[in-house]
Amino acid sequence: MSINIAIDGPAGAGKSTIARKAAAELGFIYVDTGALYRSIAYFCVSREVSPEDTSTVVSRLDEITPELRFIDGVQHVFVNGEDVSDRIRTPEISLAASRVSAIPEVRQFLFGLQKKIAAENNVIMDGRDIGTVVLPDAQLKIFLTASPEARAKRRYAELCEKGNAPDYEQVLADIIKRDKDDSERAIAPLKQAEDAVLCDTTELTLEESIDKIISMIKEIL
Ligand code: DC
């Protein structure tokens, strides 16, 4: 039986960086499920389908083949054979992903793919509903969070590093809006699973957070 670790939490809590490093150290596959929602958003934006137009988004799902390929242990996201790993990381796609992720048919569409990867591999899977919906039987569930300001500062630094010139207030406003949308939506809202361990990284450095998560995982292995 494969080992499944679920890490959920709001945008910018450090889930992806921490989960990626922990997975590399432990020899697990890291699965970033947000990238799947982003790939649907990318398809919509690039075909000029509004992510708000639920019926059109749903009617076009059968044209989308999202795929996660693991190349040298690194996740690449493909949409209909095109590697979109970098193109899905823009603020526009972030907001569109939040919108399409509130559509039940989109969640259902991606559910099977996530279950299949987890059944076949030892995974650290991150998202919003992994511990509550996708992998309710995960051997360890972690709810990773940090204050909105701490998360906005990290996202701001990340965007600067990639050569963008972001506006901090806008980054913070986007994070607060996404938190609200993700936790108030009717289907699979962002919430801590009852049996998840809460880990708040507001006061921790990245290295401290990674060490903490790795030692939590080692304890259950
Ligand atoms: O983690 P991220 O920022 O890449 O996620 C993009 C969007 O997808 C985010 O608004 C929440 C949504 N999402 C989700 O609803 N369920 C998941 N398991 C992962 C992401």
Side-chain angles (χ1 to χ4, degrees):
M1 198 178 80
S2 58
I3 298 170
N4 294 168
I5 314 285
I7 303 187
D8 291 299
K15 293 188 304 290
S16 58
T17 313
I18 294 169
R20 186 180 301 114
K21 293 256 168 72
E25 162 118 7
L26 298 162
F28 281 38
I29 281 182
Y30 161 58
V31 184
D32 164 16
T33 62
L36 293 172
Y37 291 92
R38 287 171 181 271
S39 72
I40 306 291
Y42 173 81
F43 177 91
C44 293
V45 169
S46 63
R47 304 306 196 274
E48 290 178 5
V49 172
S50 164
E52 317 270 354
D53 181 355
T54 302
S55 58
T56 306
V57 174
V58 171
S59 73
R60 300 201 55 177
L61 283 176
D62 61 0
E63 292 173 41
I64 315 176
T65 306
E67 231 184 311
L68 296 181
R69 293 188 203 161
F70 299 93
I71 304 170
D72 294 332
V74 177
Q75 174 186 280
H76 288 250
V77 191
F78 286 76
V79 176
N80 300 348
E82 179 192 1
D83 188 343
V84 297
S85 310
D86 293 330
R87 264 167 259 163
I88 58 171
R89 300 291 162 194
T90 66
E92 184 190 18
I93 299 293
S94 297
L95 286 177
S98 181
R99 289 283 147 66
V100 297
S101 71
I103 302 174
E105 288 86 347
V106 169
R107 306 202 71 83
Q108 192 55 38
F109 181 68
L110 295 175
F111 180 79
L113 180 57
Q114 297 169 77
K115 288 292 273 187
K116 184 169 186 294
I117 297 170
E120 292 172 353
N121 301 280
N122 290 337
V123 296
I124 300 183
M125 186 172 277
D126 89 24
R128 303 294 189 286
D129 62 337
I130 308 305
T132 50
V133 177
V134 180
L135 303 176
D137 298 326
Q139 287 91 338
L140 175 65
K141 301 178 186 176
I142 297 168
F143 194 81
L144 197 69
T145 190
S147 71
E149 291 74 18
R151 291 184 281 130
K153 273 188 210 144
R154 292 174 194 167
R155 194 48 52 110
Y156 176 84
E158 221 174 82
L159 288 168
C160 289
E161 224 169 79
K162 286 185 185 152
N164 299 298
D167 169 25
Y168 171 78
E169 292 304 327
Q170 188 58 50
V171 174
L172 178 60
D174 284 351
I175 284 205
I176 291 171
K177 167 142 187 44
R178 278 219 284 155
D179 282 359
K180 188 167 151 49
D181 289 349
D182 292 346
S183 54
E184 289 181 0
R185 69 180 176 216
I187 178 166
L190 169 66
K191 74 166 196 279
Q192 186 178 344
E194 266 174 27
D195 51 352
V197 184
L198 178 68
C199 182
D200 186 328
T201 67
T202 304
E203 305 292 338
L204 300 182
T205 64
L206 185 59
E207 281 65 36
E208 288 168 338
S209 307
I210 294 167
D211 288 348
K212 187 166 176 182
I213 298 298
I214 289 177
S215 61
M216 283 165 77
I217 297 172
K218 280 188 172 159
E219 254 175 53
I220 65 124
L221 291 179

